[in-house]
Amino acid sequence: MNPKLMPPPRSVGLSVEDFKQSIAGKLFYTLARFPEVATRNDVYLAVAHAVRDRLLERWLATAATYRDRQSRSVCYLSAEFLLGPHLGNNLLNLGVQAEVRQALRELGIDLDEVLAQEEEPGLGNGGLGRLAACYLDSLATLQIPAIGYGIRYEFGIFDQVIRDGWQVELTDKWLRLGNPWEIPRPEIAFEVSLGGRTETGSDGDGNYRVRWIPERVVKGVAYDTPILGYRVNTANLLRLWKAEAAESFDFEAFNQGDYYGAVEQKLFSENITKVLYPNDVALQGKQLRLEQQYFFVSCSLQDMIRIYAQSGRSIEGFDRKYAVQLNDTHPAVAVAELMRLLVDVHGLPWERAWRITCNSFGYTNHTLLPEALEKWPLPLFQAVLPRHLEIIYEINRRFLDQVRLRWPGDQERVARLSLIDEGGARSVRMAHLACVGSHAINGVARLHSELLKRDLLHDFHELWPEKFSNQTNGVTPRRFLALINPGLASLLTRVLGDSWTRDLERLRELEPLAEDAAFRAEWRAVKRANKRALAEEVQRRAGVQVDPDALFDVQVKRIHEYKRQHLNLLHVAALHERLRRDPAYAAPARCVLLAGKAAPGYRLAKLIIKLVHSVAAAVNADPAVAGRLRMAFLPDYNVQNCERIFPAADLSEQISTAGKEASGTGNMKFALNGALTIGTLDGANVEIREEVGAENFFLFGLEEGEAAQLRRDGYRPRDFYERDPELRLVLDRIGSGFYSDGEASLFQPLVDGLLNEDPFLLLDDFRSYVDRQQEAGCAYQDTEGWTRMSILNVARMGRFSSDRAIRDYCRDIWQVEPQPVTLGADAERSR
Ligand code: NBG
């Protein structure tokens, strides 16, 4: 065979005619359908395949560029990538929205219907997974060589439906109708060992060697999705691993005549990538979860080594070739796995392997909540990864020697820093492994990074202050403005030109326009149209009619006590009562919207969802507040459903207890779309407020330092209840069955929790929150003033682009450079 003789295919064009041809061709030759019987999904698949061809062309050019330049690459290891629908984003980034819309129109098809057909890959829980997706978008747009590595879950985050006000989880069968964006690579596959035991011995040269004799072996197969940058030729790779049975093991069973045993083995292996775990409280100790983590990390590192070996260079240059980022501790076992690969498989001496490992990894922490910090019980870890446990002991032994040298006799410090938690049931501390094995450690907003240094990773900071930095999160302005808010995007482009999509700081030039009454009127018209669209959706999906002229007060995010959706509810209940008592009460019509999923095992979060529905039912049915207060819960919050929400919000609820939200990124998406924030000094709210100006932000609540002080002094929530009649009234109502048809016991646990413990300080913050809400309401009634603030918010959001974040990571942590990609002359001509 001599495939070198094959000429390169003709490049696929981007004109209306080109797309018409391709789409018709795909329907026929790829999907084997006549137009007469094609379903909506067939049409979606045909369009997706036509677009994918254009991506593949760019991806191949990108791969060739990286190979020829032997460029340094970022490998972003993440157990979650919450991409959202691909088609719309790819059309935007390719710059062919108008062409494809027109091509379809000429074929008698509406693009919006085709877009709605896509089932989004929900391979993440929330902010952490979505951040990874934003970073992939920015890496490609900035032309940085990068690979995202993760898990191809067969079932992503569950679909949420609401029955009788309660959350019910349904499996997310996102692959049911096929996934046109992925390319299976059966030839790119690695074996991953699990369980068993180790044996020591020496190799031919008399060196000490350890051999791992596993109990099971599974195979990881690569599935690739091209990630195209915005209006550039760079298309990077997202490589997700699917678990399958390893053939070698099947054969053994077959030979012994154990056919069913072999089949069972196959099913067992495939389990590893079956389902994404919701970030539940009861995750610690789930063996399958540890196996998932190790599985994808091992495949990814083996793949990096394979790619690097193609250049013919020695493994010792691994850390010059790759900057490997650990997205939280989920992939932290990579530190031990790279050591195993370098020492046991490639025969490097420990010290050299350790230098390469530390130089390669960076670790991003995403939470301060103690229950979210991963720890694996030693017996479990030992059973799944016996060799890695030995490696971790050795890393720990050498590490603690260093600590003892620096602080002789300080046994407590040694215990605090150890990779092994010796208190109670012994466990491996994954965050410690990540810190020791990385040259860079960062938090995701300034306050969060400071708290990491002060509290959670205090001892590590004392040891290695130079490893620490802050990298405040960002969001992609392509998906979260250009794509979801075309009205605002075209207004911005008309007045600023289109460069803001790649250089978000350009939004600053809007500032003077805040003083222009005609511009303000246009701004309002855009918002008004977006609110109308959301109102229709609320009607359709929640069955609640809302007035597009009301103040849209919105809180969307995972349901969690620290995020305090129940504080929002206390305000709604209080406002309800004020409006009932005083028909002349000065406040605008307000529509309160919530959305978000609760972890299936998190009972209180699920009770909060029920309470939202109960309060909404009471408010919406009360003629005394008709036209003045409405409330709705939008089910199944996901990337697709957020498209309507951010552009339509007036007020963004960012009300977590200070010190608890690492960053937040929804806060950025709202502000970028012209909502004002009511929020605490928590996470990135602090920096958003700094940027947009204190006068354009509704601040309330305790600061982190005050909250910590209050806890130290002994917080007594009941005092607040007793002192504040309005607070007492709303808590009594919730606890007495006012919102639950007299069934007092239903919400009693929630109320008791607040009165007795209130770990997230709702009762303390209630008064300042309600006061600020009232001010926000009055401010909204000053239409011109509100619009001015909205414009200034958008104008000053430039810093929160994920492009800025990625540039900072590249400079501070990764040391990688852009590698622009050019297409062949043929393809360039077709543009
Ligand atoms: C989340 C934080 C958010 C933050 C995102 C992205 C986890 C473990 N952490 O505040 O709670 O915005 O990460 O950094 O999901």
Side-chain angles (χ1 to χ4, degrees), residues 47 59 111 208 255 293 350 392 480 505 507 566 615 656 658 740 769 784 809:
V47 177
W59 175 20
L111 173 60
Y208 174 82
N255 290 342
Q293 296 184 347
W350 182 278
I392 288 171
F480 290 109
E505 292 286 355
L507 292 178
H566 43 345
V615 173
S656 52
S740 39
Y769 179 54
E784 296 296 342
Y809 274 97

Side-chain angles (χ1 to χ4, degrees), residues 576 579-583 618-629:
H576 184 195
L579 292 168
R580 281 162 60 101
R581 282 205 192 145
D582 178 6
V619 165
N620 296 341
D622 184 351
V625 298
R628 305 204 65 191
L629 183 60

Side-chain angles (χ1 to χ4, degrees), residues 263-563:
V263 173
E264 218 167 80
Q265 162 80 35
K266 180 169 155 57
L267 292 179
F268 232 70
S269 308
E270 289 178 355
N271 270 346
I272 291 187
T273 52
K274 269 284 167 223
V275 66
L276 165 75
Y277 282 105
N279 48 8
D280 228 304
V281 242
L283 256 190
Q284 318 267 327
K286 280 258 190 305
Q287 175 165 341
L288 197 58
R289 166 89 167 173
L290 178 60
E291 291 178 357
Q292 271 186 350
Q293 296 184 347
Y294 175 62
F295 165 80
F296 100 87
V297 154
S298 177
C299 290
S300 307
L301 287 169
Q302 292 186 63
D303 192 44
M304 288 174 223
I305 292 174
R306 175 191 66 89
I307 294 171
Y308 185 50
Q310 289 171 347
S311 72
R313 287 175 291 176
S314 116
I315 186 87
E316 308 231 1
F318 183 91
D319 56 321
R320 285 193 293 279
K321 168 72 181 166
Y322 296 117
V324 189
Q325 195 65 23
L326 305 174
N327 195 30
D328 217 280
T329 53
H330 316 143
V333 68
V335 171
E337 173 66 356
L338 184 56
M339 284 302 285
R340 187 187 70 83
L341 290 167
L342 295 177
V343 174
D344 292 359
V345 180
H346 291 271
L348 258 56
W350 182 278
E351 291 76 10
R352 244 186 286 164
W354 184 242
R355 190 176 39 74
I356 293 171
T357 298
C358 295
N359 285 340
S360 301
F361 289 114
Y363 159 53
T364 305
N365 172 288
H366 292 267
T367 184
L368 295 160
L369 299 186
E371 68 270 23
L373 290 176
E374 288 191 298
K375 280 188 202 171
W376 294 106
L378 279 191
L380 171 63
F381 204 97
Q382 163 91 51
V384 177
L385 299 171
R387 176 57 184 144
H388 296 78
L389 190 60
E390 292 173 0
I391 291 174
I392 288 171
Y393 282 148
E394 181 61 16
I395 294 172
N396 201 32
R397 189 182 65 76
R398 291 168 183 248
F399 166 58
L400 294 181
D401 278 350
Q402 242 179 296
V403 175
R404 289 193 190 94
L405 214 60
R406 173 100 182 261
W407 287 281
D410 192 346
Q411 262 315 109
E412 276 177 24
R413 185 185 297 266
V414 169
R416 287 198 307 269
L417 279 165
S418 174
L419 305 192
I420 309 297
D421 185 348
E422 309 272 355
R426 301 170 72 214
S427 56
V428 186
R429 295 162 160 161
M430 299 310 276
H432 290 212
L433 179 61
C435 285
V436 174
S438 299
H439 69 281
I441 302 167
N442 73 282
V444 290
R446 197 176 63 219
L447 173 65
H448 169 236
S449 295
E450 288 306 314
L451 295 176
L452 279 182
K453 293 192 280 185
R454 193 192 75 189
D455 303 331
L456 191 73
L457 301 177
H458 175 77
D459 292 305
F460 285 101
H461 181 246
E462 279 199 337
L463 183 60
W464 296 310
E466 69 285 355
K467 282 195 188 186
F468 284 76
S469 72
N470 171 55
Q471 307 296 336
T472 298
N473 285 167
V475 300
T476 170
R478 270 77 63 183
R479 183 179 287 275
F480 290 109
L481 211 177
L483 186 65
I484 69 175
N485 198 345
L488 185 58
S490 61
L491 179 59
L492 294 175
T493 298
R494 207 191 70 217
V495 298
L496 305 175
D498 63 6
S499 59
W500 61 269
T501 43
R502 261 187 281 190
D503 178 7
L504 204 62
E505 292 286 355
R506 296 292 298 275
L507 292 178
R508 256 211 212 265
E509 295 160 27
L510 279 176
E511 282 195 22
L513 288 163
E515 296 310 320
D516 176 337
F519 184 74
R520 287 201 301 271
E522 286 189 84
W523 190 269
R524 273 197 300 278
V526 168
K527 181 63 88 180
R528 166 73 210 218
N530 293 339
K531 289 171 73 172
R532 217 184 168 65
L534 179 59
E536 276 166 25
E537 187 162 315
V538 172
Q539 172 72 269
R540 192 163 49 77
R541 298 188 46 237
V544 176
Q545 197 178 2
V546 301
D547 169 11
D549 289 318
L551 163 66
F552 277 22
D553 169 350
V554 190
Q555 184 173 25
V556 294
K557 50 182 80 241
R558 287 299 286 250
I559 311 294
H560 204 293
E561 287 163 272
Y562 85 79
K563 295 178 188 280

Side-chain angles (χ1 to χ4, degrees), residues 43 45 53 115 291 376 474 515 549 590 611-612 657 735 743:
V43 174
L45 290 174
D53 279 356
L115 290 170
E291 291 178 357
W376 294 106
E515 296 310 320
D549 289 318
R590 189 187 281 250
L611 182 57
V612 173
T657 316
E743 194 193 328

